[in-house]
Amino acid sequence: LDAAHVLRIIGDLFFKCGDLAGAMKKYADAHKIVVDGGFATHPDAASALFRIGQVAIAQNLFDLASERLEEAWTIVESTGTESTTDAASTLRLLGVVLLQRGDAS
């Protein structure tokens, strides 16, 4: 999981510098490491999915964002981590996606 954490940090740097493709690649790599390591339902997997959703929103890829954020929320619910900052951020971004798609009901 340490390698995935480092990749997420690198992805964060790419994101902050505006390199959305680079950020997406690092976040996807981080998610793959977590899943391949047998931790598909670990909060680190949710964190990587959240970040992928964040980049997808920045790229106006709302369907992809919705899918990844919903996957992240499923992990949050299954691990009982609904009270974390990542969980709140995931719900907030899901709301952004729904508003953008005109499905805010």
Side-chain angles (χ1 to χ4, degrees):
L1 295 178
D2 288 342
H5 184 71
V6 169
L7 285 169
R8 280 195 313 277
I9 291 170
I10 294 169
D12 290 347
L13 293 172
F14 278 116
F15 187 75
K16 288 178 182 167
C17 291
D19 182 352
L20 299 180
M24 183 71 84
K25 171 97 174 81
K26 296 304 175 196
Y27 296 149
D29 289 347
H31 184 253
K32 183 175 178 358
I33 287 171
V34 172
V35 170
D36 289 352
F39 298 97
T41 59
H42 190 276
D44 282 350
S47 182
L49 289 167
F50 164 77
R51 286 172 168 81
I52 291 169
Q54 186 177 26
V55 174
I57 289 171
Q59 294 176 318
N60 294 322
L61 302 171
F62 298 112
D63 288 338
L64 175 63
S66 177
E67 290 171 9
R68 296 305 171 260
L69 292 168
E70 287 177 16
E71 288 178 58
W73 184 250
T74 299
I75 294 169
V76 165
E77 286 184 314
S78 72
T79 58
T81 56
E82 294 93 344
S83 64
T84 65
T85 301
D86 278 352
S89 296
T90 299
L91 284 179
R92 182 181 56 80
L93 286 184
L94 272 169
V96 168
V97 169
L98 293 174
L99 284 171
Q100 289 295 326
R101 291 172 45 188
D103 187 17
S105 56

